[in-house]
Amino acid sequence: MATVVGEHIFDEGWLRAAEDGRLTKVASQDPRFSAILALPDFERFVYVLSVLEGCSDRECADLLDVSERKIEETRLRALQHFWKRD
């Protein structure tokens, strides 16, 4: 069974794992999430905020205290990690 939270759909197992502090272990078993977890910290923050959460470049730049250009460049680097994995 899935739960809709905002625009996102989460499997209840993922929600329970997050509550129990087991999310990293559970996520590492899913190649989509392990690819995200493998990103360097800053690239992961930018990817999650801009791609998964849909924040604008301006919002990301304000939250992370960097330029919009830095957000664009970092998002591209993060996406390139996924292209290299295929």
Side-chain angles (χ1 to χ4, degrees):
M1 178 174 205
T3 303
V4 177
V5 179
E7 296 179 12
H8 306 285
I9 298 176
F10 297 94
D11 179 273
E12 288 181 15
W14 284 96
L15 294 173
R16 277 194 298 279
E19 291 170 355
D20 296 344
R22 299 177 293 114
L23 188 57
T24 302
K25 180 180 178 188
V26 173
S28 68
Q29 297 170 358
D30 185 320
R32 297 168 299 174
F33 290 100
S34 61
I36 294 169
L37 292 173
L39 291 170
D41 291 343
F42 188 71
E43 290 178 19
R44 186 172 58 247
F45 287 137
V46 170
Y47 179 80
V48 169
L49 287 172
S50 67
V51 177
L52 300 182
E53 293 296 328
C55 292
S56 70
D57 289 351
R58 172 77 323 217
E59 291 171 313
C60 290
D62 289 343
L63 286 169
L64 299 172
D65 197 28
V66 298
S67 69
E68 289 182 59
R69 175 78 178 170
K70 178 78 171 177
I71 297 298
E72 293 169 6
E73 292 168 352
T74 303
R75 181 178 49 248
L76 180 59
R77 264 196 322 278
L79 292 170
Q80 287 172 339
H81 281 282
F82 300 127
W83 294 329
K84 289 178 186 176
R85 291 178 64 96
D86 294 336

